[in-house]
Amino acid sequence: MKDPITISITGAAGQIGYALLFRIASGAMFGVDQPVSLRLIEIEPGMKALAGVVMELDDCAFPLLHSIEATSDLNVGFTGANWALLVGSVPRGPGMERKDLLQVNGKIFTNQGQAIAANAANDIRTLVVGNPCNTNALIAMNNASGVPKERFFAMTRLDENRAKSQLAAKAGCHHSEVSNLCIWGNHSATQYPDFIHAKIKGQPVTNVISDGAWLEGEFISQVQQRGAAIIQARGASSAASAANGVVDTVRSLTTPTPKGDWTSVAVCSDGAYGIEKDLIASMPIRTEDGKSWDVVRDLEIDPFSQSKIDITVKELCEERAAVKDLIKVDS
Ligand code: NAD
Ligand code: LMR
C-alpha cells in the first residue's frame, strides 16, 4: 500500500464539501490504490455541521481513508498538505456576478495563502474553487511566500464540462466524443469557451456543427451563464457538478494528459498568448507526468477568439486592481 497523501479542504461542511469529501475518500480523485488523509477546515460556526460530516465519513468505512482532522485553525488544517482545495467562501445569490463577492471573500485567501506557505508539504498544490476563483487564487498565491507560482490553480473545469455537454447535445453525440475544449480567461460571464479549436470525434467542431450563429452566440452565452441558470433553478449554486469539476481538475493535473488533448484550468500566466504575466487565467494545459504542466503554446488564435480573450483578460486585470491591497504587488 502507498503512503497516504494529505488533502486539506476548506469549507468542508458546505454544499460542495459535502459532495466532494466522499468522492475523495472513495478513491475517485487520486486512484483506488492511494490512501488519503483529510484535513477539513471550517470557520467556527461551521464546526458543528462538520462534526456531522466527519461522523458520516466514519460511517462509510472507506478502505482508503487513513485519517481525518477537523479544525478551524488554518495552521493545523494545512499541516503537511500535498493538496489544498480552497472551497470555503460565500457563494453568490440571484442577480449577482461572481466578482461582487471579491470584497467579502478576497481577504479569506490572504490568511490561507500564508498558512499554506507556513505549514504545507514541499510539493503543495493549491486549487481555488471559492469565487471569484481566479482572483482569489491570485491573492492566495501572492500571500504564499516561497511556494512556486505554478502550484496555484483556479477551477474552470466545470465550465469545460458544461461546454462539452452543450456541444454534444447540439451535435447529437456523446460528451466523451468532444475533446480539445479550452476555456479562456476568467471563471465569470466573460469566459470564452473556445469552439474553434474544439473537436468532435477528432473533427473540428465547426465542421460538425454548421450553425455558426449558434456557436458564436447561444453556445458561448449558455456556458457563460450556466452558473447563474443553476442558481435560478436550484435556489443555490452548483454543488455536485462543482465537486465533480474539482475531482476532474485534480485527476487531470495528476495523470498524463491524453495524447493530442488538453484540459482547462486557470494558471499563473507567463505571458503565453499575450495574457498579462502573473494573472491567474484559464488556458489550455497539458501534463506529461502528472506533476509539472505546461501551456499548449502553438494554437493559432483567430480575430474572433482574440477579441473574446481580450475581454476576459481585461476583466481579470480589473479584478486584480480591485484587490491590490491584498496582493502586495503593483497592479
Ligand atoms: P456553501 O455556503 O454551501 O459552503 C461554504 C462553506 O465555506 C460554509 O460551510 C462556510 O462555513 C465555509 N467557509 C466560509 N468562510 C470560510 C473560511 N474563511 N474558511 C473555511 N471555511 C469557510 O457554499 P458552496 O456551495 O460550497 O460554494 C463554495 C464556493 O465555491 C462559493 O464561493 C461558490 O461561489 C464557489 N463555486 C465555485 C465554482 C467554480 O467552478 N469555480 C463552482 C461552484 C461554486
Ligand atoms: C458556477 O459556475 O456554478 C459557480 O461559480 C457558482 C456561481 O456563482 O455561478
Side-chain angles (χ1 to χ4, degrees):
M1 203 46 139
K2 295 177 178 173
D3 289 336
I5 57 170
T6 300
I7 305 111
S8 299
I9 301 128
T10 67
Q15 291 271 321
I16 295 175
Y18 193 68
L20 177 62
L21 303 182
F22 299 85
R23 295 196 61 196
I24 301 174
S26 71
M29 185 174 273
F30 294 101
V32 292
D33 61 346
Q34 177 59 66
V36 291
S37 290
L38 299 182
R39 301 186 84 82
L40 309 181
I41 304 172
E42 261 295 342
I43 47 176
E44 271 306 326
M47 288 305 287
K48 182 159 177 272
L50 184 56
V53 176
V54 171
M55 286 185 230
E56 287 205 69
L57 281 165
D58 286 340
D59 294 351
C60 292
F62 284 118
L64 291 170
L65 185 50
H66 182 260
S67 65
I68 310 173
E69 173 86 35
T71 181
S72 59
D73 180 332
L74 293 179
N75 290 317
V76 174
F78 290 118
T79 295
N82 305 106
W83 273 92
L85 307 176
L86 306 187
V87 179
S89 52
V90 177
R92 66 174 165 156
M96 293 172 74
E97 289 298 336
R98 297 178 186 92
K99 65 183 166 199
D100 297 337
L101 296 168
L102 255 189
Q103 290 315 317
V104 49
N105 284 341
K107 54 186 176 295
I108 293 174
F109 295 85
T110 57
N111 296 341
Q112 292 186 357
Q114 289 157 16
I116 287 169
N119 299 286
N122 285 339
D123 66 350
I124 179 69
R125 283 183 270 181
T126 297
L127 173 65
V128 178
V129 178
N131 277 321
C133 60
N134 298 58
T135 299
N136 288 338
L138 183 79
I139 295 168
M141 180 182 82
N142 279 285
N143 280 275
S145 170
V147 182
K149 290 179 174 178
E150 65 269 18
R151 308 272 197 76
F152 285 84
F153 307 93
M155 188 166 93
T156 52
R157 178 56 171 268
L158 175 55
D159 309 293
E160 177 188 322
N161 289 347
R162 287 168 171 167
K164 285 179 168 171
S165 175
Q166 298 286 343
L167 291 174
K170 181 78 173 173
C173 69
H174 193 257
H175 44 260
S176 61
E177 295 173 309
V178 186
S179 65
N180 301 84
L181 193 298
C182 173
I183 302 292
W184 293 92
N186 201 1
H187 173 63
S188 76
T190 66
Q191 67 179 273
Y192 172 50
D194 179 351
F195 59 87
I196 304 274
H197 294 101
K199 293 181 179 163
I200 293 177
K201 298 183 194 173
Q203 296 299 312
V205 159
T206 45
N207 288 2
V208 180
I209 299 174
S210 55
D211 188 350
W214 180 84
L215 286 169
E216 290 189 10
E218 205 178 324
F219 164 66
I220 294 177
S221 63
Q222 268 178 5
V223 177
Q224 291 174 332
Q225 295 297 333
R226 186 66 162 189
I230 289 168
I231 291 169
Q232 279 299 337
R234 217 173 81 85
S237 67
S238 63
S241 58
N244 182 66
V246 179
V247 172
D248 284 352
T249 306
V250 174
R251 194 121 190 94
S252 288
L253 289 169
T254 51
T255 54
T257 311
K259 196 165 180 292
D261 205 356
W262 54 71
T263 190
S264 304
V265 61
V267 296
C268 183
S269 172
D270 64 1
Y273 294 102
I275 296 172
E276 195 165 319
K277 202 166 172 290
D278 288 343
L279 286 177
I280 300 278
S282 185
M283 52 188 100
I285 298 300
R286 281 187 57 80
T287 173
E288 305 303 328
D289 60 1
K291 292 190 178 77
S292 59
W293 55 264
D294 203 356
V295 182
V296 176
R297 293 179 188 272
D298 55 356
L299 301 183
E300 206 171 300
I301 307 295
D302 65 292
F304 175 83
S305 299
Q306 189 63 58
S307 69
K308 296 290 182 192
I309 294 171
D310 289 348
I311 291 169
T312 193
V313 169
K314 180 168 175 279
E315 182 182 49
L316 284 171
C317 290
E318 288 163 4
E319 287 186 18
R320 181 179 60 179
V323 298
K324 63 179 187 306
D325 294 344
L326 303 180
I327 60 177
K328 302 183 204 147
V329 291
D330 297 336
S331 54

